[in-house]
Amino acid sequence: MGDSDIELSKCGVRFDPPAIIVTYRAKGSDKLHLRRMPLRNLKMNSIATRVAEDLKKSPNHKRFLEKLPDAQLEKLITMIKDKMNGIAKEEIVKKAKMMDAIDPEEDLNKVDENTLKIKKAIMDQTFEKNRKRPDDPGFQYDVEVNFDDGPIESCEWDSDKDSDEGF
């Protein structure tokens, strides 16, 4: 079974003993397969990015994780680490849902590096999902949109009170 012969269906976690679980179909088959990938060396202070990289490099698991986005794998590993640190499952699920949501009011300059990476990956996935390519049906080149329908808000940095007469 080569790399392109696998079609991922679902992914999840098992907390005890810790493992990443994926379900997949072999291309050309309707049979659903289950793959458990134990995280034997995972500790409470392990770095999720490094664990994900090691798991993706493993010859036993590489072909099952190639098509899984890095951010998603890191999120699953973080969920397992949170459970190891004593956080309740409900809180872990709530935290995971918050990580998946993009709040336009959230200041991403103030979040930790891992959260920023996950949020950027979600934005990239959303962009790719909504992206229009020349071969897509209904594609139009150079679409112009007028955004002047709403009221114009003034900003203090854009006011005429602080003129630049000295320049």
Side-chain angles (χ1 to χ4, degrees), residues 76-100:
L76 294 172
I77 293 168
T78 302
M79 291 172 76
I80 294 171
K81 282 180 46 182
D82 287 347
K83 181 65 176 161
M84 292 171 80
N85 286 323
I87 299 175
K89 288 181 187 178
E90 295 80 21
E91 287 297 315
I92 293 170
V93 171
K94 183 179 174 184
K95 180 181 171 186
K97 285 182 180 178
M98 284 178 37
M99 291 295 283
D100 284 345

PDB file of all heavy atoms in Angstrom, residues 76-100:
ATOM      1  N   LEU A  76      -4.132  17.424  18.607  1.00  0.00           N
ATOM      2  CA  LEU A  76      -4.468  16.140  19.221  1.00  0.00           C
ATOM      3  C   LEU A  76      -3.460  15.775  20.315  1.00  0.00           C
ATOM      4  O   LEU A  76      -3.840  15.307  21.394  1.00  0.00           O
ATOM      5  CB  LEU A  76      -4.511  15.043  18.156  1.00  0.00           C
ATOM      6  CG  LEU A  76      -5.618  15.162  17.103  1.00  0.00           C
ATOM      7  CD1 LEU A  76      -5.415  14.132  16.002  1.00  0.00           C
ATOM      8  CD2 LEU A  76      -6.982  15.030  17.728  1.00  0.00           C
ATOM      9  N   ILE A  77      -2.178  16.017  20.054  1.00  0.00           N
ATOM     10  CA  ILE A  77      -1.138  15.728  21.047  1.00  0.00           C
ATOM     11  C   ILE A  77      -1.306  16.636  22.260  1.00  0.00           C
ATOM     12  O   ILE A  77      -1.168  16.195  23.409  1.00  0.00           O
ATOM     13  CB  ILE A  77       0.258  15.866  20.406  1.00  0.00           C
ATOM     14  CG1 ILE A  77       0.453  14.758  19.354  1.00  0.00           C
ATOM     15  CG2 ILE A  77       1.352  15.823  21.469  1.00  0.00           C
ATOM     16  CD1 ILE A  77       1.644  14.950  18.452  1.00  0.00           C
ATOM     17  N   THR A  78      -1.643  17.897  22.022  1.00  0.00           N
ATOM     18  CA  THR A  78      -1.872  18.839  23.123  1.00  0.00           C
ATOM     19  C   THR A  78      -3.052  18.386  23.975  1.00  0.00           C
ATOM     20  O   THR A  78      -3.023  18.522  25.207  1.00  0.00           O
ATOM     21  CB  THR A  78      -2.108  20.258  22.572  1.00  0.00           C
ATOM     22  OG1 THR A  78      -0.966  20.640  21.794  1.00  0.00           O
ATOM     23  CG2 THR A  78      -2.323  21.268  23.685  1.00  0.00           C
ATOM     24  N   MET A  79      -4.081  17.841  23.341  1.00  0.00           N
ATOM     25  CA  MET A  79      -5.233  17.341  24.098  1.00  0.00           C
ATOM     26  C   MET A  79      -4.813  16.211  25.040  1.00  0.00           C
ATOM     27  O   MET A  79      -5.233  16.176  26.202  1.00  0.00           O
ATOM     28  CB  MET A  79      -6.319  16.854  23.139  1.00  0.00           C
ATOM     29  CG  MET A  79      -7.004  17.957  22.359  1.00  0.00           C
ATOM     30  SD  MET A  79      -8.119  17.347  21.084  1.00  0.00           S
ATOM     31  CE  MET A  79      -9.505  16.846  22.071  1.00  0.00           C
ATOM     32  N   ILE A  80      -3.978  15.316  24.551  1.00  0.00           N
ATOM     33  CA  ILE A  80      -3.493  14.213  25.389  1.00  0.00           C
ATOM     34  C   ILE A  80      -2.641  14.753  26.538  1.00  0.00           C
ATOM     35  O   ILE A  80      -2.775  14.317  27.681  1.00  0.00           O
ATOM     36  CB  ILE A  80      -2.706  13.193  24.540  1.00  0.00           C
ATOM     37  CG1 ILE A  80      -3.640  12.506  23.545  1.00  0.00           C
ATOM     38  CG2 ILE A  80      -2.031  12.155  25.430  1.00  0.00           C
ATOM     39  CD1 ILE A  80      -2.949  11.637  22.519  1.00  0.00           C
ATOM     40  N   LYS A  81      -1.764  15.722  26.222  1.00  0.00           N
ATOM     41  CA  LYS A  81      -0.922  16.318  27.277  1.00  0.00           C
ATOM     42  C   LYS A  81      -1.772  16.999  28.340  1.00  0.00           C
ATOM     43  O   LYS A  81      -1.483  16.903  29.536  1.00  0.00           O
ATOM     44  CB  LYS A  81       0.048  17.338  26.659  1.00  0.00           C
ATOM     45  CG  LYS A  81       1.233  16.720  25.971  1.00  0.00           C
ATOM     46  CD  LYS A  81       2.141  17.761  25.377  1.00  0.00           C
ATOM     47  CE  LYS A  81       2.409  18.887  26.328  1.00  0.00           C
ATOM     48  NZ  LYS A  81       3.233  19.951  25.806  1.00  0.00           N
ATOM     49  N   ASP A  82      -2.834  17.697  27.921  1.00  0.00           N
ATOM     50  CA  ASP A  82      -3.724  18.355  28.880  1.00  0.00           C
ATOM     51  C   ASP A  82      -4.372  17.335  29.808  1.00  0.00           C
ATOM     52  O   ASP A  82      -4.485  17.562  31.014  1.00  0.00           O
ATOM     53  CB  ASP A  82      -4.806  19.158  28.147  1.00  0.00           C
ATOM     54  CG  ASP A  82      -4.262  20.426  27.510  1.00  0.00           C
ATOM     55  OD1 ASP A  82      -3.122  20.821  27.830  1.00  0.00           O
ATOM     56  OD2 ASP A  82      -4.991  21.022  26.679  1.00  0.00           O
ATOM     57  N   LYS A  83      -4.769  16.198  29.263  1.00  0.00           N
ATOM     58  CA  LYS A  83      -5.363  15.149  30.092  1.00  0.00           C
ATOM     59  C   LYS A  83      -4.333  14.601  31.081  1.00  0.00           C
ATOM     60  O   LYS A  83      -4.655  14.332  32.239  1.00  0.00           O
ATOM     61  CB  LYS A  83      -5.914  14.021  29.193  1.00  0.00           C
ATOM     62  CG  LYS A  83      -6.565  12.904  29.945  1.00  0.00           C
ATOM     63  CD  LYS A  83      -7.811  13.363  30.664  1.00  0.00           C
ATOM     64  CE  LYS A  83      -8.491  12.169  31.333  1.00  0.00           C
ATOM     65  NZ  LYS A  83      -9.405  12.568  32.356  1.00  0.00           N
ATOM     66  N   MET A  84      -3.076  14.460  30.620  1.00  0.00           N
ATOM     67  CA  MET A  84      -2.009  14.001  31.513  1.00  0.00           C
ATOM     68  C   MET A  84      -1.760  14.996  32.643  1.00  0.00           C
ATOM     69  O   MET A  84      -1.362  14.613  33.737  1.00  0.00           O
ATOM     70  CB  MET A  84      -0.712  13.790  30.718  1.00  0.00           C
ATOM     71  CG  MET A  84      -0.774  12.622  29.741  1.00  0.00           C
ATOM     72  SD  MET A  84       0.647  12.561  28.655  1.00  0.00           S
ATOM     73  CE  MET A  84       1.851  11.786  29.720  1.00  0.00           C
ATOM     74  N   ASN A  85      -2.022  16.275  32.372  1.00  0.00           N
ATOM     75  CA  ASN A  85      -1.837  17.320  33.378  1.00  0.00           C
ATOM     76  C   ASN A  85      -3.048  17.467  34.296  1.00  0.00           C
ATOM     77  O   ASN A  85      -3.098  18.382  35.111  1.00  0.00           O
ATOM     78  CB  ASN A  85      -1.524  18.658  32.708  1.00  0.00           C
ATOM     79  CG  ASN A  85      -0.114  18.705  32.175  1.00  0.00           C
ATOM     80  OD1 ASN A  85       0.807  18.172  32.779  1.00  0.00           O
ATOM     81  ND2 ASN A  85       0.060  19.319  31.019  1.00  0.00           N
ATOM     82  N   GLY A  86      -4.045  16.590  34.141  1.00  0.00           N
ATOM     83  CA  GLY A  86      -5.174  16.572  35.067  1.00  0.00           C
ATOM     84  C   GLY A  86      -6.362  17.408  34.661  1.00  0.00           C
ATOM     85  O   GLY A  86      -7.278  17.602  35.460  1.00  0.00           O
ATOM     86  N   ILE A  87      -6.406  17.898  33.446  1.00  0.00           N
ATOM     87  CA  ILE A  87      -7.545  18.696  32.992  1.00  0.00           C
ATOM     88  C   ILE A  87      -8.673  17.740  32.590  1.00  0.00           C
ATOM     89  O   ILE A  87      -8.439  16.707  31.969  1.00  0.00           O
ATOM     90  CB  ILE A  87      -7.139  19.611  31.818  1.00  0.00           C
ATOM     91  CG1 ILE A  87      -6.037  20.570  32.268  1.00  0.00           C
ATOM     92  CG2 ILE A  87      -8.329  20.381  31.284  1.00  0.00           C
ATOM     93  CD1 ILE A  87      -5.476  21.435  31.165  1.00  0.00           C
ATOM     94  N   ALA A  88      -9.906  18.098  32.936  1.00  0.00           N
ATOM     95  CA  ALA A  88     -11.069  17.259  32.634  1.00  0.00           C
ATOM     96  C   ALA A  88     -11.326  17.218  31.125  1.00  0.00           C
ATOM     97  O   ALA A  88     -11.013  18.168  30.401  1.00  0.00           O
ATOM     98  CB  ALA A  88     -12.302  17.805  33.346  1.00  0.00           C
ATOM     99  N   LYS A  89     -11.903  16.118  30.652  1.00  0.00           N
ATOM    100  CA  LYS A  89     -12.176  15.947  29.222  1.00  0.00           C
ATOM    101  C   LYS A  89     -13.053  17.067  28.668  1.00  0.00           C
ATOM    102  O   LYS A  89     -12.834  17.540  27.547  1.00  0.00           O
ATOM    103  CB  LYS A  89     -12.850  14.600  28.958  1.00  0.00           C
ATOM    104  CG  LYS A  89     -11.944  13.421  29.111  1.00  0.00           C
ATOM    105  CD  LYS A  89     -12.676  12.126  28.811  1.00  0.00           C
ATOM    106  CE  LYS A  89     -11.815  10.930  29.140  1.00  0.00           C
ATOM    107  NZ  LYS A  89     -12.509   9.662  28.904  1.00  0.00           N
ATOM    108  N   GLU A  90     -14.056  17.491  29.447  1.00  0.00           N
ATOM    109  CA  GLU A  90     -14.955  18.554  28.988  1.00  0.00           C
ATOM    110  C   GLU A  90     -14.189  19.846  28.748  1.00  0.00           C
ATOM    111  O   GLU A  90     -14.443  20.563  27.776  1.00  0.00           O
ATOM    112  CB  GLU A  90     -16.081  18.788  30.006  1.00  0.00           C
ATOM    113  CG  GLU A  90     -17.021  17.610  30.182  1.00  0.00           C
ATOM    114  CD  GLU A  90     -16.454  16.525  31.088  1.00  0.00           C
ATOM    115  OE1 GLU A  90     -15.542  16.801  31.906  1.00  0.00           O
ATOM    116  OE2 GLU A  90     -16.919  15.375  30.970  1.00  0.00           O
ATOM    117  N   GLU A  91     -13.263  20.160  29.641  1.00  0.00           N
ATOM    118  CA  GLU A  91     -12.445  21.365  29.489  1.00  0.00           C
ATOM    119  C   GLU A  91     -11.512  21.250  28.285  1.00  0.00           C
ATOM    120  O   GLU A  91     -11.265  22.223  27.587  1.00  0.00           O
ATOM    121  CB  GLU A  91     -11.626  21.617  30.756  1.00  0.00           C
ATOM    122  CG  GLU A  91     -12.444  22.117  31.915  1.00  0.00           C
ATOM    123  CD  GLU A  91     -13.076  23.470  31.636  1.00  0.00           C
ATOM    124  OE1 GLU A  91     -12.386  24.374  31.112  1.00  0.00           O
ATOM    125  OE2 GLU A  91     -14.267  23.620  31.945  1.00  0.00           O
ATOM    126  N   ILE A  92     -10.997  20.050  28.055  1.00  0.00           N
ATOM    127  CA  ILE A  92     -10.099  19.827  26.912  1.00  0.00           C
ATOM    128  C   ILE A  92     -10.856  20.051  25.611  1.00  0.00           C
ATOM    129  O   ILE A  92     -10.363  20.722  24.695  1.00  0.00           O
ATOM    130  CB  ILE A  92      -9.497  18.401  26.965  1.00  0.00           C
ATOM    131  CG1 ILE A  92      -8.569  18.275  28.177  1.00  0.00           C
ATOM    132  CG2 ILE A  92      -8.760  18.074  25.679  1.00  0.00           C
ATOM    133  CD1 ILE A  92      -8.114  16.864  28.468  1.00  0.00           C
ATOM    134  N   VAL A  93     -12.079  19.517  25.527  1.00  0.00           N
ATOM    135  CA  VAL A  93     -12.891  19.677  24.319  1.00  0.00           C
ATOM    136  C   VAL A  93     -13.254  21.151  24.129  1.00  0.00           C
ATOM    137  O   VAL A  93     -13.198  21.678  23.014  1.00  0.00           O
ATOM    138  CB  VAL A  93     -14.156  18.783  24.392  1.00  0.00           C
ATOM    139  CG1 VAL A  93     -15.111  19.098  23.260  1.00  0.00           C
ATOM    140  CG2 VAL A  93     -13.762  17.322  24.382  1.00  0.00           C
ATOM    141  N   LYS A  94     -13.604  21.826  25.209  1.00  0.00           N
ATOM    142  CA  LYS A  94     -13.951  23.250  25.147  1.00  0.00           C
ATOM    143  C   LYS A  94     -12.752  24.076  24.653  1.00  0.00           C
ATOM    144  O   LYS A  94     -12.893  24.949  23.795  1.00  0.00           O
ATOM    145  CB  LYS A  94     -14.388  23.732  26.537  1.00  0.00           C
ATOM    146  CG  LYS A  94     -14.837  25.153  26.595  1.00  0.00           C
ATOM    147  CD  LYS A  94     -15.279  25.507  28.010  1.00  0.00           C
ATOM    148  CE  LYS A  94     -15.595  26.974  28.136  1.00  0.00           C
ATOM    149  NZ  LYS A  94     -15.936  27.341  29.513  1.00  0.00           N
ATOM    150  N   LYS A  95     -11.575  23.764  25.181  1.00  0.00           N
ATOM    151  CA  LYS A  95     -10.359  24.465  24.772  1.00  0.00           C
ATOM    152  C   LYS A  95     -10.051  24.210  23.291  1.00  0.00           C
ATOM    153  O   LYS A  95      -9.676  25.125  22.559  1.00  0.00           O
ATOM    154  CB  LYS A  95      -9.181  24.005  25.635  1.00  0.00           C
ATOM    155  CG  LYS A  95      -7.867  24.648  25.306  1.00  0.00           C
ATOM    156  CD  LYS A  95      -6.752  24.104  26.192  1.00  0.00           C
ATOM    157  CE  LYS A  95      -5.394  24.572  25.735  1.00  0.00           C
ATOM    158  NZ  LYS A  95      -4.312  23.943  26.487  1.00  0.00           N
ATOM    159  N   ALA A  96     -10.247  22.965  22.846  1.00  0.00           N
ATOM    160  CA  ALA A  96      -9.994  22.614  21.441  1.00  0.00           C
ATOM    161  C   ALA A  96     -10.946  23.367  20.515  1.00  0.00           C
ATOM    162  O   ALA A  96     -10.537  23.839  19.445  1.00  0.00           O
ATOM    163  CB  ALA A  96     -10.126  21.114  21.244  1.00  0.00           C
ATOM    164  N   LYS A  97     -12.203  23.489  20.906  1.00  0.00           N
ATOM    165  CA  LYS A  97     -13.176  24.229  20.084  1.00  0.00           C
ATOM    166  C   LYS A  97     -12.815  25.705  20.017  1.00  0.00           C
ATOM    167  O   LYS A  97     -12.984  26.348  18.985  1.00  0.00           O
ATOM    168  CB  LYS A  97     -14.584  24.043  20.625  1.00  0.00           C
ATOM    169  CG  LYS A  97     -15.154  22.671  20.318  1.00  0.00           C
ATOM    170  CD  LYS A  97     -16.564  22.508  20.819  1.00  0.00           C
ATOM    171  CE  LYS A  97     -17.078  21.113  20.486  1.00  0.00           C
ATOM    172  NZ  LYS A  97     -18.418  20.888  20.981  1.00  0.00           N
ATOM    173  N   MET A  98     -12.328  26.259  21.129  1.00  0.00           N
ATOM    174  CA  MET A  98     -11.901  27.665  21.128  1.00  0.00           C
ATOM    175  C   MET A  98     -10.695  27.871  20.220  1.00  0.00           C
ATOM    176  O   MET A  98     -10.577  28.899  19.560  1.00  0.00           O
ATOM    177  CB  MET A  98     -11.576  28.128  22.552  1.00  0.00           C
ATOM    178  CG  MET A  98     -12.798  28.385  23.392  1.00  0.00           C
ATOM    179  SD  MET A  98     -12.443  28.877  25.101  1.00  0.00           S
ATOM    180  CE  MET A  98     -11.013  29.896  24.987  1.00  0.00           C
ATOM    181  N   MET A  99      -9.808  26.891  20.170  1.00  0.00           N
ATOM    182  CA  MET A  99      -8.628  26.991  19.310  1.00  0.00           C
ATOM    183  C   MET A  99      -9.018  26.943  17.838  1.00  0.00           C
ATOM    184  O   MET A  99      -8.365  27.534  16.997  1.00  0.00           O
ATOM    185  CB  MET A  99      -7.634  25.873  19.619  1.00  0.00           C
ATOM    186  CG  MET A  99      -6.974  26.002  20.968  1.00  0.00           C
ATOM    187  SD  MET A  99      -5.941  27.458  21.111  1.00  0.00           S
ATOM    188  CE  MET A  99      -4.521  26.915  20.201  1.00  0.00           C
ATOM    189  N   ASP A 100     -10.103  26.224  17.523  1.00  0.00           N
ATOM    190  CA  ASP A 100     -10.553  26.099  16.140  1.00  0.00           C
ATOM    191  C   ASP A 100     -11.281  27.336  15.645  1.00  0.00           C
ATOM    192  O   ASP A 100     -11.422  27.529  14.445  1.00  0.00           O
ATOM    193  CB  ASP A 100     -11.464  24.884  15.977  1.00  0.00           C
ATOM    194  CG  ASP A 100     -10.691  23.585  15.964  1.00  0.00           C
ATOM    195  OD1 ASP A 100      -9.458  23.630  15.787  1.00  0.00           O
ATOM    196  OD2 ASP A 100     -11.316  22.520  16.127  1.00  0.00           O
TER     197      ASP A 100
END
